[in-house]
Amino acid sequence: MPLLEAAIAVREKAYAPYSNFKVGAAIRGADGKIYTGCNVENVAYPEGTCAEAGAIALMVASGETRLTEALVIADSPLPVSPCGGCRQKLAEFGTADVKITMTTLDGNARTMTLAELLPGAFGQGHMDKG
Ligand code: THU
């Protein structure tokens, strides 16, 4: 199943009673498998989790720690943009050239690389004293 269909399907499962903004994410692991996630909100609002975080958690729990592409979908007027925290989470498991596709339900899509989404990303190199 392509990333798009997987993300559309998992978006339906989103638990978003507070924002009413359902998000679906599908990421492809280096193993070729697709891992999906949806946003899961909480009455204590900051405890909610993003769709991308769910997909990453499933990938890692399945034994894969590298991702090669990702797609995020929502019923938004503009291609849905991963939040700052999710950009950093995606960068943990993907190289700078990994393509992230952001799309609306009606097909308004935009693709950017991780480097474009998170310029100047904090990385392991920043902790090396050399
Ligand atoms: N959300 C995601 O799941 N992913 C994104 O990339 C953007 C925002 C969720 C978080 C929250 O449940 C809802 O969308 C509104 O911010």
Side-chain angles (χ1 to χ4, degrees), residues 16 19 21 23 38-41 49-52 72 80-83 86:
S19 71
F21 187 71
V23 184
C38 56
N39 52 332
V40 180
E41 297 183 348
T49 51
C50 286
E52 296 90 327
V72 190
V80 60
S81 182
C83 77
C86 284

Side-chain angles (χ1 to χ4, degrees), residues 2-90:
L3 286 184
L4 178 61
E5 271 108 89
I8 289 171
V10 74
R11 180 185 163 275
E12 293 295 329
K13 306 245 173 58
Y15 177 75
Y18 306 106
S19 71
N20 288 312
F21 187 71
K22 293 185 167 194
V23 184
I27 60 183
R28 189 177 301 281
D31 57 7
K33 293 181 185 163
I34 292 176
Y35 300 96
T36 59
C38 56
N39 52 332
V40 180
E41 297 183 348
N42 192 283
V43 64
Y45 296 171
E47 299 305 323
T49 51
C50 286
E52 296 90 327
I56 288 168
L58 178 60
M59 180 184 78
V60 173
S62 301
E64 178 56 67
T65 56
R66 303 309 302 164
L67 64 90
T68 58
E69 57 178 326
L71 183 145
V72 190
I73 191 165
D75 188 13
S76 52
L78 295 169
V80 60
S81 182
C83 77
C86 284
R87 292 174 191 214
Q88 185 73 36
K89 289 183 178 77
L90 289 164

